[in-house]
Amino acid sequence: MRIGAPREIHDGEARVSMTPASAKDLKKLGHACLIEAGAGVAAGFTDAAYEDAGVTVV
Protein backbone atom coordinates (compact mmCIF):
# COMPACT_ATOMS: atom_id res chain seq x y z
CA MET A 1 0.00 0.00 0.00
CA ARG A 2 1.18 3.54 -0.70
CA ILE A 3 0.63 6.02 2.11
CA GLY A 4 0.96 9.73 1.42
CA ALA A 5 1.03 12.78 3.66
CA PRO A 6 0.22 16.25 2.26
CA ARG A 7 1.52 19.55 3.56
CA GLU A 8 -0.79 21.43 5.97
CA ILE A 9 -2.43 24.46 4.34
CA HIS A 10 -3.80 26.31 7.40
CA ASP A 11 -1.75 29.19 8.83
CA GLY A 12 -0.14 28.43 12.18
CA GLU A 13 -0.65 24.68 11.93
CA ALA A 14 2.55 22.82 12.80
CA ARG A 15 1.34 19.21 12.89
CA VAL A 16 2.30 16.66 10.28
CA SER A 17 0.53 13.34 9.82
CA MET A 18 3.69 11.29 9.28
CA THR A 19 7.01 11.59 11.09
CA PRO A 20 10.23 9.99 9.89
CA ALA A 21 9.94 7.48 12.76
CA SER A 22 6.35 6.52 11.93
CA ALA A 23 7.34 6.15 8.26
CA LYS A 24 10.06 3.68 9.25
CA ASP A 25 7.45 1.64 11.15
CA LEU A 26 5.14 1.67 8.14
CA LYS A 27 7.98 0.58 5.85
CA LYS A 28 8.66 -2.39 8.18
CA LEU A 29 5.08 -3.45 7.51
CA GLY A 30 5.72 -3.34 3.77
CA HIS A 31 4.11 0.00 2.91
CA ALA A 32 5.59 2.67 0.62
CA CYS A 33 5.51 6.18 2.08
CA LEU A 34 5.36 9.51 0.26
CA ILE A 35 5.28 13.02 1.66
CA GLU A 36 4.81 16.43 0.09
CA ALA A 37 7.98 18.53 0.09
CA GLY A 38 8.12 20.80 3.13
CA ALA A 39 5.29 19.03 4.95
CA GLY A 40 7.29 18.46 8.13
CA VAL A 41 9.21 21.73 8.34
CA ALA A 42 6.87 23.44 10.84
CA ALA A 43 7.04 20.33 13.06
CA GLY A 44 10.85 20.25 12.91
CA PHE A 45 11.33 17.50 10.30
CA THR A 46 13.37 18.24 7.20
CA ASP A 47 12.82 16.64 3.81
CA ALA A 48 16.27 15.07 4.23
CA ALA A 49 15.13 13.37 7.46
CA TYR A 50 12.23 11.82 5.56
CA GLU A 51 14.52 10.71 2.74
CA ASP A 52 16.88 9.15 5.29
CA ALA A 53 13.87 7.21 6.63
CA GLY A 54 13.15 5.89 3.14
CA VAL A 55 10.23 8.19 2.34
CA THR A 56 9.78 9.52 -1.19
CA VAL A 57 9.49 13.33 -1.07
CA VAL A 58 7.23 14.63 -3.84
Side-chain angles (χ1 to χ4, degrees):
M1 178 185 297
R2 289 185 206 145
I3 301 171
R7 186 172 44 92
E8 181 58 63
I9 58 172
H10 295 287
D11 290 335
E13 183 59 67
R15 294 180 288 182
V16 62
S17 58
M18 182 187 310
T19 66
S22 65
K24 282 183 182 179
D25 291 339
L26 290 168
K27 286 185 60 68
K28 288 179 187 176
L29 296 172
H31 303 296
C33 298
L34 300 98
I35 193 160
E36 185 176 352
V41 171
F45 304 111
T46 64
D47 288 344
Y50 284 104
E51 289 172 341
D52 290 344
V55 177
T56 301
V57 178
V58 293

